[in-house]
Amino acid sequence: MENRLIDNTIYNNLPEDLKILTSNFEGREKDIVLLSSLGVISNVLPNIKGTYDGDIVYPHMYVLIVAPPASGKGVMNYSRMLIEPIHQAILANSKQEKSSCEDSKKKDKQGKKEPCPNIRLKIVPANISTSELYTFLGNSKDGLLIMESEADTLSVMMNNDWSNYSDVLRKCFHHEPLSIARKIEGLYEEISEPKLSVVISGTPGQLKPFLKSRENGLFSRFAIYTFDEVSQFKNVFELKSNDNKELFSSLGSKLFNLYGDLHSLTEPVDFELTENQRRKFLSSFGYIWSDIVSNHTASFLANLNRHGLMLYKIAMILSTLRRGDDIVNSDKIVCEHRDFLVALRLTQTILRHSKVVFDSMDTGFLSMKDEEIIDSLSPVFTREDIVKKGTELEIPVRTIDDKLRQFQVKKVIKKVSKGVYKKL
């Protein structure tokens, strides 16, 4: 499967706002702008929901751009402007509430002990602890966005005991309940329907420490787009370069108003596919499933299953944008057929890109068992530590010593002194 460009028929049938947003870009940059914008917009549509495989789902998506340095993937950062006004408003209101509460407590002679509310955000940095992420998720009714232009920021977090929130990312994709309790920090957080969108980019080298294994479930949750061309030096003085910020800022203002209208709804709006679209969905994915079983590795099927959910979410986003302000006047969205076809064709393209990356991970990545061993160890550990873990998993000492050598070859760890190792 080749890592092809997104077809022009997709762009020609986008909702008008996305069509205008991508019109100033070409080639890979155009594709990156579309996918990163979908990832960001997925987090600004509160009270839009649908039912998929018997579960309530929301539009939130995970997007990953994988390309070499100097390849043009930096245009992804434009899409942050779509959510920035919402983020700034939530942050400013939260700071005001906290300040008012603290002032009130100072004036209260009885000294009320109720804690003041925590700061609320819309965009959270990737370099935070697991407990901080839980706190921000617990404070957010409509969900959070993690957006990073360098995947190694997340890679570093995943290799720390205090910030390895890989399991949080896996559960949030399906809005599975989360809970955390830490006695030392006095922390207890329970989140029934966590909502999180993730938009990140990075080089193939940065991808490996972040995902670690193609079988751990995190890989299959991402809409992946990859290529290996390096972009030519572009005309940085071209007039349309100055127009890009205006385009994103303009749509950001519209989304700010739409977010406010949707946030104020007392009941959510239900998204539905038509019966014809459901049949088309099942036949298309049934054909792809048969092709994978016959011609590719069956271990890729988990990716196909989750790409079905991605299609559904993309169709939900497109249909909401298509309806615009009018959406608050109804309790249901029926997917327009052109939005369904765009979502289907786009998902098929993403699936091809995912297969390219999946195949490239065939040899150099850790197995699930090896990943479990590595994740259980401290950033700096001894041979005795890993032997102890091996004993718990009923792995012979000789095998553990062999794994230590393999981990060094795969550059997962390095030896810092005799019997002492450091995770990379």
Side-chain angles (χ1 to χ4, degrees), residues 22-80:
T22 56
S23 63
N24 260 12
F25 300 90
E26 297 177 353
R28 297 297 185 188
E29 288 191 349
K30 189 168 190 169
D31 293 356
I32 294 169
V33 166
L34 175 59
L35 291 172
S36 60
S37 296
L38 286 172
V40 171
I41 294 171
S42 76
N43 199 21
V44 301
L45 304 176
N47 281 317
I48 303 294
K49 70 177 181 67
T51 303
Y52 185 91
D53 196 21
D55 293 323
I56 300 297
V57 297
Y58 302 92
H60 303 75
M61 288 181 61
Y62 292 2
V63 175
L64 172 61
I65 311 296
V66 185
S71 57
K73 61 184 181 294
V75 295
M76 180 194 89
N77 293 317
Y78 279 119
S79 60
R80 181 184 173 112

Side-chain angles (χ1 to χ4, degrees), residues 379-383 401 403-424:
V380 177
F381 64 93
T382 64
R383 177 180 175 275
D401 283 331
K403 286 185 181 296
L404 277 172
R405 288 188 289 271
Q406 292 177 24
F407 293 162
Q408 290 177 77
V409 170
K410 293 180 178 182
K411 299 188 183 304
V412 175
I413 64 173
K414 73 173 182 178
K415 189 173 184 178
V416 293
S417 62
K418 184 176 180 181
V420 180
Y421 303 85
K422 181 180 180 180
K423 293 197 287 187
L424 299 176

